[in-house]
Amino acid sequence: MITDVASSPPRRRTRRRGGGLLPSPGWGYLMIAPALVGLVALYVWPFLTTFGKSFMDVPAFGPGTFTGVDNYTELLGDERFWQALRNSALYTAILLLGLPVAVVLAALIEQVSRGRAGYRVLFFLPVVTLPVAVSMVWRFIYNGDFGLLNYVLSRLGVDGQYWVADATFTIWAVGVVGIWMSLGINLIILGAGLQSIPPDLYEASALDGAGRVRQFFRITLPLLSPSLFLVTVLTVISALQMFDLIFVMLRSVNNTALADSKTIVYLFYEKAFVEFDQGYAAAIAIVLLMVIMVATLVQFRLQRRWVFYD
Amino acid sequence: MRHGKRWAAAAAVLVTLAATGCGGAGGDGKVTLSYATWSDDQKPAMEAIAKAFEEKHPGIDVQVQVLPWPEYWSTLQVGAAGRTAPDAFWMLADQFPAYAKGNQLLDITDAVKTAGVDLAAYPKAVLDLYDVDGKLFGLPKDFDTNGIWFNKALFDKAGVAYPNENWTWDDARAAARKLTNPAAGVWGIAAPLDRQGGYYNSIYQAGGRVIGADGRAAIDSPEAISGLEFWTQLHADGSSPTLKQLSDTEAVQMFMDQKVAMYFSGSFWAQRLYGDQALRPHVGVAPLPKAKQRATMISGILNAGYAGTKHPKELAEFLIFASGRDAAVIQARSGAVLPAYRDTQQGWLDAMPEFNLKVFVDAVDYAVPLPIAGDAAKWTGLESQYLAPAWEGKQPAAEAARAYNKAINEVLAQ
């Protein structure tokens, strides 16, 4: 592109200004420099140093010593790492369970003739609310003794639980909050997907005698599948990186469930910033990157079977 | 991805905070020192100290920054590694070894000597916490000891005599049982899994130690185990809310809600409890109960400086001032904390005359420095995993102690 512009005969506009607006390919690089510098400084360089550190024993301060793959072998033998990976996987699965909810809600919102924007705003609010504030509110809702959830359950005759203090429930409790918080974004993407479905398809199928349910499964779902695929990929990536909800909702001096509820990024945080074990933390980050890459790759492979592009 | 972005944004904020903390000479030739703390409660006192210092040193400008507690240590670490750490900051004993070993702290030994600071003015146990081969990397700002915070109204209602200085473990346990009233939702005591305010004290009261003289874990000795059993028995008696309850609602909140009659903890709660008008008239203070002997943990914050500062001379002057007598008097008057400097504590006692706070000052006589060894953050992080089963009654304290002891030694051996 850049060379094309440079080698094409000078246009009148540039000639009139005298100097030539695009004298060399260098200009092009200069134009993208701000973005490039940001990318290198904030992503590429940190990635390279993290990758390097993952093969070193790095103390809290000062240079590290090269230890080969020690961090990785220790990681693979660390039960706490596998548990964190299982927790992250469970959390991701729970968030994926929330996707059908998002599809149904998006379809319902499209049916609304008045105040559609109002509904979207309501569902979008959690997305733009501070996660820490959201987590604090949910901490109160989940409180075992005074929480709103247990109060409602008690009125229904169901025994309450210590949702965020009992390792049986923690990931599920946090997962519900995760679904609720990501609903807004998902509804926007799915809503846009729904609006791109030509209405005449519904009219034609109605003439052929298809009911609402049949239309949903035969028209809406296949034509929505590209949006659904995008939402699925984004959900898996963000869910595997979940940290803040555990950090705010479970961190308490006496939360004995925390030890069994750490996600992979929480473990990373603890290793890097609490225990000062940066090499080990770097290895965790690299493994997480690989997990996310594999998960995304697999999804792109699988999409051929279910995503419908017209 | 959104979570990732949030995390990245949080990191960016941290870096910015740290960056703004970097000291530098102002345009008018003034030297600017930043002073990082984590307590909003203490901000007014810290600013008053900064102002008092500036009056004596017109060429120096001290800026107090309050960082939220969860981010304080990651900010400091990232800042130190990136050479943008604040000039002066609060340091805690369990974090101290990593910073001292990593040469991140300004050595003020000579400056202290030149200034003629009398080290005997500080509690020896607190100085010992921060001792590295006789070098000084700061001076104590304040200290805290533990006592029994109790609710007189709940004691009166249950017809139980208030705790006094002769109380033994048996007295405490019996009182906790009598005070517990499930129908009213009241427990005799809060027995959280708490090192500093809880089981470390009872381990030393029983004559045990957390880290032995040989530098290895000693939490599996018969004495230490009986120190743990003091707490597990309170749970077995049903005299305390369960750990799950204490996780959802922290012990100090339970005490403030008047749901627990006793809470063994530090002097640092005084201001918050005093600030609660409804609670204030009911609060009493007594020394911790004794077993074989009297003991309480003592800890304290160190005013430390960053080795990479641009103004080491001015920084050393500020650190000495911030831990000196004048600053101590300002802190005491604010009521926020017990200042470390000798004979300045009266102001703190006078700030809250209704509370019998002298208990915490007298406790210095039998105080033991908080046990710190090796990678303390790492092995204390395992505490809940190993000891919670004993607190929850799923495992005998002796078994839990042996398993935890082994885990501590593994960390210390690394």
Side-chain angles (χ1 to χ4, degrees):
Chain A
M1 276 277 283
I2 291 158
T3 45
D4 278 355
V5 173
S7 58
S8 62
R11 281 172 287 171
R12 264 175 55 194
R13 189 162 55 91
T14 48
R15 192 185 288 163
R16 198 170 54 214
R17 293 208 179 157
L21 197 61
L22 300 166
S24 73
W27 271 104
Y29 290 114
L30 201 66
M31 293 297 182
I32 61 165
L36 199 66
V37 167
L39 188 74
V40 171
L42 296 174
Y43 288 92
V44 179
W45 177 244
F47 170 74
L48 290 177
T49 46
T50 302
F51 189 71
K53 275 185 179 178
S54 74
F55 297 102
M56 292 198 280
D57 178 21
V58 190
F61 306 103
T65 44
F66 184 76
T67 53
V69 292
D70 278 10
N71 286 325
Y72 290 95
T73 44
E74 194 189 334
L75 195 70
L76 296 178
D78 187 347
E79 178 45 34
R80 289 208 291 158
F81 166 73
W82 291 107
Q83 186 181 36
L85 207 57
R86 282 197 299 274
N87 286 334
S88 284
L90 175 60
Y91 177 79
T92 308
I94 295 169
L95 254 69
L96 288 176
L97 287 181
L99 290 187
V101 180
V103 172
V104 171
L105 275 174
L108 285 177
I109 289 177
E110 289 308 313
Q111 303 288 312
V112 175
S113 47
R114 281 173 132 212
R116 201 184 290 172
Y119 282 102
R120 287 225 183 90
V121 167
L122 281 181
F123 282 112
F124 202 74
L125 273 179
V127 179
V128 292
T129 310
L130 258 175
V132 174
V134 166
S135 304
M136 289 308 289
V137 171
W138 278 92
R139 242 185 113 140
F140 287 126
I141 294 177
Y142 281 143
N143 188 303
D145 291 328
F146 319 108
L148 183 67
L149 177 61
N150 280 356
Y151 174 74
V152 172
L153 287 176
S154 75
R155 299 301 293 263
L156 298 171
V158 180
D159 276 346
Q161 298 291 344
Y162 290 91
W163 302 105
V164 288
D166 185 336
T168 323
F169 305 108
T170 41
I171 298 291
W172 289 91
V174 168
V176 167
V177 181
I179 291 175
W180 177 72
M181 280 178 71
S182 55
L183 209 50
I185 289 275
N186 292 348
L187 286 182
I188 298 281
I189 298 175
L190 294 172
L194 285 173
Q195 283 173 4
S196 68
I197 300 175
D200 44 349
L201 285 179
Y202 291 103
E203 286 160 22
S205 64
L207 286 176
D208 289 341
R212 277 286 169 87
V213 176
R214 208 179 159 88
Q215 280 180 338
F216 178 79
F217 283 104
R218 290 296 168 87
I219 298 174
T220 312
L221 220 45
L223 290 180
L224 192 61
S225 58
S227 312
L228 203 52
F229 174 65
L230 174 67
V231 167
T232 309
V233 170
L234 292 180
T235 299
V236 169
I237 291 174
S238 76
L240 285 172
Q241 295 180 339
M242 194 273 280
F243 163 81
D244 42 11
L245 294 179
I246 295 283
F247 186 77
V248 182
M249 287 174 68
L250 264 65
R251 235 176 47 118
S252 140
V253 194
N254 280 289
N255 199 335
T256 54
L258 178 59
D260 295 328
S261 311
K262 288 169 188 165
T263 59
I264 194 80
V265 180
Y266 191 92
L267 192 68
F268 163 81
Y269 158 79
E270 214 171 50
K271 286 288 174 189
F273 295 113
V274 181
E275 296 179 9
F276 289 142
D277 197 348
Q278 292 185 38
Y280 194 82
I284 294 177
I286 296 297
V287 170
L288 174 64
L289 176 77
M290 293 195 298
V291 168
I292 291 177
M293 264 167 58
V294 170
T296 311
L297 218 69
V298 166
Q299 290 180 77
F300 270 90
R301 278 289 156 89
L302 288 178
Q303 70 156 329
R304 292 177 199 154
R305 304 209 182 150
W306 67 277
V307 178
F308 179 83
Y309 295 103
D310 51 1
Chain B
M1 193 181 271
R2 266 177 321 96
H3 290 295
K5 272 190 189 146
R6 266 184 220 123
W7 181 219
V13 170
L14 293 187
V15 172
T16 320
L17 280 174
T20 53
C22 82
D28 50 356
K30 246 190 170 188
V31 168
T32 303
L33 296 175
S34 51
Y35 183 27
T37 76
W38 61 75
S39 168
D40 264 324
D41 292 346
Q42 296 191 40
K43 195 177 177 208
M46 293 307 111
E47 277 173 345
I49 290 170
K51 202 162 156 252
F53 178 76
E54 285 164 0
E55 273 163 20
K56 287 197 173 166
H57 302 82
I60 306 177
D61 179 26
V62 178
Q63 288 177 350
V64 178
Q65 307 165 350
V66 180
L67 301 172
W69 169 255
E71 285 130 53
Y72 184 83
W73 296 106
S74 45
T75 308
L76 197 57
Q77 195 207 349
V78 171
R83 311 207 66 72
T84 58
D87 299 297
F89 45 84
W90 291 358
M91 180 50 60
L92 279 181
D94 53 348
Q95 300 278 342
F96 176 74
Y99 285 85
K101 249 193 321 198
N103 298 319
Q104 299 299 311
L105 301 178
L106 184 69
D107 185 347
I108 59 166
T109 317
D110 292 339
V112 166
K113 218 173 274 168
T114 314
V117 176
D118 178 14
L119 290 179
Y122 301 99
K124 189 176 175 304
V126 179
L127 280 176
D128 287 349
L129 278 174
Y130 297 102
D131 182 59
V132 185
D133 310 328
K135 280 193 221 160
L136 278 173
F137 290 108
L139 287 170
K141 166 189 167 297
D142 57 31
F143 72 91
D144 51 80
T145 58
N146 299 289
I148 306 178
W149 292 104
F150 65 94
N151 186 313
K152 291 177 189 166
L154 292 176
F155 270 78
D156 291 344
K157 208 186 271 175
V160 180
Y162 297 160
N164 59 52
E165 71 276 9
N166 296 318
W167 255 31
T168 62
W169 283 5
D170 292 337
D171 294 324
R173 188 178 169 188
R177 215 175 337 195
K178 266 191 241 164
L179 287 157
T180 301
N181 181 355
V186 169
W187 289 272
I189 187 168
L193 188 54
D194 177 9
R195 297 188 288 281
Q196 200 177 332
Y199 70 88
Y200 277 9
N201 300 298
S202 53
I203 285 175
Y204 283 84
Q205 284 155 9
R209 298 178 66 136
V210 177
I211 302 292
D214 58 355
R216 289 167 59 79
I219 210 164
D220 62 345
S221 72
E223 294 83 8
I225 289 170
S226 88
L228 297 177
E229 278 167 350
F230 172 72
W231 296 95
T232 59
Q233 282 167 354
L234 291 169
H235 276 288
D237 292 349
S239 301
S240 163
T242 64
L243 278 192
K244 287 196 174 71
Q245 289 173 308
L246 289 168
S247 166
D248 276 355
T249 313
E250 301 215 355
V252 66
Q253 193 59 46
M254 290 258 188
F255 184 76
M256 292 180 76
D257 293 341
Q258 312 207 39
K259 296 272 178 203
V260 295
M262 290 185 281
Y263 177 35
F264 292 12
S265 193
S267 44
F268 41 75
W269 295 123
Q271 197 185 32
R272 188 184 298 188
L273 300 179
Y274 194 78
D276 187 332
Q277 303 280 349
L279 183 70
R280 189 192 290 177
H282 304 316
V283 175
V285 187
L288 291 179
K290 59 188 173 195
K292 201 170 149 197
Q293 62 196 34
R294 243 182 219 306
T296 173
M297 286 296 119
I298 186 168
S299 179
I301 292 170
L302 189 78
N303 276 318
Y306 177 47
T309 180
K310 286 185 191 124
H311 314 288
K313 193 176 141 286
E314 290 84 355
L315 178 55
E317 276 174 35
F318 175 68
L319 293 176
I320 291 167
F321 180 85
S323 291
R325 196 183 155 75
D326 294 349
V329 170
I330 294 174
Q331 286 194 77
R333 256 202 319 259
S334 79
V337 280
L338 252 170
Y341 204 90
R342 181 178 52 208
D343 298 334
T344 58
Q345 290 92 13
Q346 192 58 41
W348 185 70
L349 305 183
D350 293 344
M352 293 167 278
E354 293 93 330
F355 288 3
N356 180 25
L357 294 176
K358 201 161 170 297
V359 166
F360 293 113
V361 181
D362 294 344
V364 174
D365 295 341
Y366 52 87
V368 184
L370 197 68
I372 305 288
D375 202 341
K378 197 161 182 175
W379 58 262
T380 55
L382 300 172
E383 154 195 79
S384 159
Q385 185 185 336
Y386 286 97
L387 295 184
W391 259 243
E392 289 174 332
K394 293 178 188 158
Q395 194 185 27
E399 259 176 52
R402 276 191 285 272
Y404 188 33
N405 205 72
K406 195 162 155 269
I408 297 176
N409 278 332
E410 274 166 17
V411 173
L412 292 180
Q414 276 171 13

